[in-house]
Amino acid sequence: MNVPAPNSTAPKLTGAEKIDVTITAIVPLNDLVTRFEFKRSDGSLFPTFSGGAHTVVEMQDGDRKRLNPYSLMSDPANRETFAISVRRDDEGRGGSLFMHNKVKIGDPMVISYPVNLFSLDLRARKHLFIAGGIGITPFLAQIKQLVRTNGNWELHYSCRNASLGSYVDELTQKYPHSVHIHYDDEKDFIDLENLLHGQPIGTHLYVCGPKGMIEWVRSTAGAAGWPTAHIHYEEFLAPKPGKPFAVRLAKSGVTVKVGAHESLLEAIERLGVEAPYLCRGGACGQCETDVIESDGAFMHRDHWLEDEEKALGVKIMPCVSRFEGKTLVLDR
Amino acid sequence: MSTFNFPESIRSRPVYGTLQAQVGKSHLMIADAHGAEAVLEMAAKEPAMMAQSHIIYIPKGMQFGLQIQALKPAQYYEGPSYAAAVSRIKRVLSDAAMGLQIYLSGTEGLIGQAQYEVMQAGFDYTAIQTEHRGSVARRMQCVHCKGITEDVMIDPFQCSHCGLNLFVRDHYSRRLAAFQGVCIDAEEPGNVPPSVELYS
Ligand code: FES
């Protein structure tokens, strides 16, 4: 995983391989969401990807570097252009604001090779997609993939209101029979229980959206007897700010102070210590790190470790989790 | 006693559990021979599930049919053989909706073949409840002639199709619903150890 792409001038980091790209289009879709399109700076083709894959975008904001994952929403068969759609988050840690306010057409950027943690189960007889807001993005690529392969799918897309419904017009025009839109402000909500009831055997369910929606869909489907192997979800957690804390990295022999607004992973990287990652959102498991010694409380926020592992305090996912206490020593 | 504890083996070898009623909208149980006992035990613990249950049973000479019917499942079908029941199984699966829970019990041949049909319907095999009961006989494919023999009880076994002497492996194929039989005397034709009953 940590081999740099041979034709990349990107600095060596430990995520997926890097690709140098140039911003070729910036398309505002509505008040909150803007699409960014990339081409490879060396003119060559992108790798193919499968619908549901994300790329980690590196943002050099002054002396601060952010790496944020975004779902690729362009056609997986289009190897000339990759596209992501970014929702502006005024309260967030600044990645989306950087994209919205600082990035210009022609700017060079570095993105990672696609990594898919939310792929279609191609054994499915039918794919049932539930999207909330910006959670539509992975489905845009998956739908293009399924249309090409004649797949059986259906989308239920819930948006706050018509003016914030990214890609609603395109979807309803192209696929009037497969796409169902629900607007919160019209009090039109997805009737999930009825929707799940009677779905043919072999249906797989996919949900991407706010945390509450993911939990609602997973628990409703579980209560209706859907096996967990048929329920897929993707939620990238953004690292949350917290109290600053100190960590000793035993192998590297250094101590680092994690700032209130940076993640543990970012602090480790700031010192130049190599640390593995892929999703940077608590989902993939790549950054799992052994705890050698601790005296204090862990703020585990990932979807990766089992509850028992979290309780034992012998492992931490530095991309999203934090610590408060006297001592923390990591095997890194 | 119709239960048997299979010794630990390679990863390829299927492992079975104990049927346990799952939360769901409807239930499909497919059993053969002593597999009926597993269905009866589950139903004794969760009698309410029978009102949404469809039971398909292949007695193979056993006498559990009346006991199962006494559970009053929503639908009951008894077939003289798996081959006779399979078109019914396919039909039930093609009409089924998500929320259906699937339970398979009895011989490995029954469980494996029914599991194959369930997988063909696009349902994940990890979500199927299975319980082995009764004979430890195996459904086996000769890897040389591809012929399948049901109810193999001894190892080595002479292929009923091509006549090769076969070592009955624990290597299992979900796609074929069969264990693999491999020629045991290829290096030294005729040097075949005496056959013994499986798990004896
Ligand atoms: S990088 Fe994926 S879980 Fe931390």
Side-chain angles (χ1 to χ4, degrees):
Chain A
M1 281 306 154
N2 45 16
V3 193
N7 56 356
S8 171
T9 56
K12 192 174 170 211
L13 271 168
T14 30
E17 292 179 26
K18 309 294 174 191
I19 307 174
D20 292 317
V21 297
T22 306
I23 302 272
T24 52
I26 299 178
V27 185
L29 298 168
N30 51 47
D31 275 357
L32 290 178
V33 179
T34 297
R35 181 169 72 240
F36 298 86
E37 297 183 5
F38 309 100
K39 290 206 191 311
R40 274 185 101 128
S41 303
D42 64 5
S44 62
L45 293 178
F46 281 114
T48 48
F49 67 96
S50 50
H54 71 266
T55 179
V56 173
V57 177
E58 299 190 11
M59 305 169 197
Q60 197 64 53
D61 187 6
D63 55 4
R64 183 157 176 202
K65 182 186 230 158
R66 291 192 188 83
L67 297 106
N68 284 13
Y70 292 101
S71 296
L72 288 164
M73 40 75 57
S74 42
D75 186 341
N78 179 353
R79 297 183 58 193
E80 271 162 24
T81 307
F82 271 7
I84 60 172
S85 291
V86 180
R87 182 186 189 280
R88 198 184 75 229
D89 181 357
D90 296 322
E91 247 85 85
R93 298 179 337 124
S96 67
L97 285 174
F98 175 84
M99 291 301 291
H100 277 254
N101 299 337
K102 306 231 170 124
V103 168
K104 303 270 170 303
I105 290 179
D107 280 1
M109 288 192 89
V110 175
I111 66 173
S112 77
Y113 264 62
V115 170
N116 201 342
L117 301 172
F118 189 51
S119 53
L120 296 169
D121 190 323
L122 294 175
R123 297 168 300 180
R125 284 303 134 92
K126 176 176 175 182
H127 305 272
L128 180 60
F129 300 133
I130 314 266
I134 194 64
I136 190 65
T137 50
F139 298 133
L140 294 168
Q142 290 179 331
I143 288 169
K144 285 170 192 129
Q145 180 181 335
L146 285 173
V147 166
R148 184 165 289 112
T149 53
N150 240 332
N152 181 11
W153 62 275
E154 190 178 310
L155 169 71
H156 294 259
Y157 178 18
S158 176
C159 317
R160 229 192 283 167
N161 55 50
S163 64
L164 288 176
S166 311
Y167 300 104
V168 161
D169 293 344
E170 178 185 327
L171 286 164
T172 48
Q173 271 160 30
K174 275 197 193 155
Y175 320 109
H177 304 297
S178 309
V179 170
H180 307 265
I181 307 291
H182 301 267
Y183 292 122
D184 293 357
D185 70 343
E186 293 171 9
K187 300 253 175 302
D188 174 13
F189 304 108
I190 298 173
D191 182 0
L192 188 58
E193 259 168 64
N194 272 322
L195 175 63
L196 295 180
H197 188 72
Q199 289 294 337
I201 197 137
T203 304
H204 279 250
L205 177 64
Y206 306 78
V207 53
C208 185
K211 191 182 182 69
M213 177 185 230
I214 293 175
E215 277 163 15
W216 170 60
V217 171
R218 290 176 66 201
S219 62
T220 309
W226 287 57
T228 49
H230 284 245
I231 307 171
H232 313 267
Y233 62 98
E234 178 157 82
E235 184 199 5
F236 287 132
L237 303 160
K240 266 206 192 135
K243 289 192 191 138
F245 61 100
V247 192
R248 179 154 179 77
L249 305 176
K251 272 201 222 128
S252 322
V254 286
T255 299
V256 57
K257 191 117 188 274
V258 183
H261 292 280
E262 70 182 341
S263 70
L264 173 53
L265 178 62
E266 287 165 340
I268 296 173
E269 288 171 342
R270 180 160 51 76
L271 288 200
V273 173
E274 273 196 23
Y277 71 85
L278 275 180
C279 72
R280 305 181 80 86
C284 72
Q286 195 71 17
C287 68
E288 185 178 299
T289 304
D290 288 331
V291 174
I292 295 177
E293 200 191 318
S294 71
D295 179 5
F298 289 90
M299 276 88 220
H300 291 293
R301 293 190 54 243
D302 60 273
H303 291 311
W304 176 257
L305 296 175
E306 304 286 343
D307 286 346
E308 303 89 75
E309 289 177 305
K310 288 181 181 172
L312 283 175
V314 292
K315 282 179 178 158
I316 187 167
M317 309 304 287
C319 63
V320 291
S321 297
R322 304 182 72 88
F323 180 82
E324 271 176 30
K326 270 207 207 111
T327 341
L328 178 64
V329 184
L330 297 182
D331 186 21
R332 187 63 75 204
Chain B
M1 196 56 191
S2 65
T3 57
F4 179 79
N5 282 329
F6 293 102
E8 259 202 43
S9 180
I10 56 174
R11 254 192 97 187
S12 164
R13 199 220 187 293
V15 289
Y16 308 98
T18 306
L19 295 193
Q20 241 155 28
Q22 303 294 305
V23 177
K25 303 270 177 205
S26 57
H27 309 272
L28 172 64
M29 294 136 201
I30 306 174
D32 73 352
H34 284 100
E37 292 177 348
V39 173
L40 290 167
E41 282 167 26
M42 174 169 65
K45 283 192 209 126
E46 204 63 55
M49 75 191 295
M50 280 299 131
Q52 297 87 37
S53 293
H54 186 153
I55 305 183
I56 294 176
Y57 182 53
I58 300 137
K60 282 187 140 185
M62 298 296 150
Q63 308 295 330
F64 293 104
L66 289 176
Q67 281 182 66
I68 295 184
Q69 285 181 68
L71 298 172
K72 299 221 177 352
Q75 288 185 77
Y76 177 70
Y77 164 86
E78 197 170 296
S81 66
Y82 182 79
V86 71
S87 56
R88 171 111 180 179
I89 293 171
K90 283 188 184 170
R91 181 62 210 260
V92 171
L93 287 170
S94 73
D95 291 347
M98 290 304 285
L100 175 73
Q101 305 300 321
I102 300 173
Y103 311 84
L104 310 175
S105 60
T107 62
E108 296 203 76
L110 177 281
I111 294 173
Q113 290 177 92
Q115 174 180 277
Y116 172 79
E117 295 302 335
V118 173
M119 282 160 53
Q120 289 302 103
F123 194 82
D124 199 279
Y125 71 92
T126 60
I128 304 171
Q129 296 267 314
T130 59
E131 180 168 344
H132 175 266
R133 289 285 184 131
S135 166
V136 296
R138 293 181 175 193
R139 181 176 148 90
M140 190 203 68
Q141 187 208 41
C142 168
V143 304
H144 308 282
C145 77
K146 310 298 174 197
I148 286 186
T149 305
E150 304 286 344
D151 296 327
V152 170
M153 270 309 287
I154 55 168
D155 175 32
F157 174 81
Q158 190 177 21
C159 179
S160 55
H161 302 263
C162 69
L164 281 179
N165 295 304
L166 302 174
F167 163 45
V168 181
R169 292 203 56 206
D170 274 356
H171 183 174
Y172 183 80
S173 162
R174 276 196 294 273
R175 187 176 58 84
L176 301 165
F179 288 93
Q180 307 291 287
V182 187
C183 185
I184 200 169
D185 58 344
E187 284 79 9
E188 240 186 284
N191 183 2
V192 181
S195 293
V196 291
E197 194 163 306
L198 288 173
Y199 299 112
S200 63

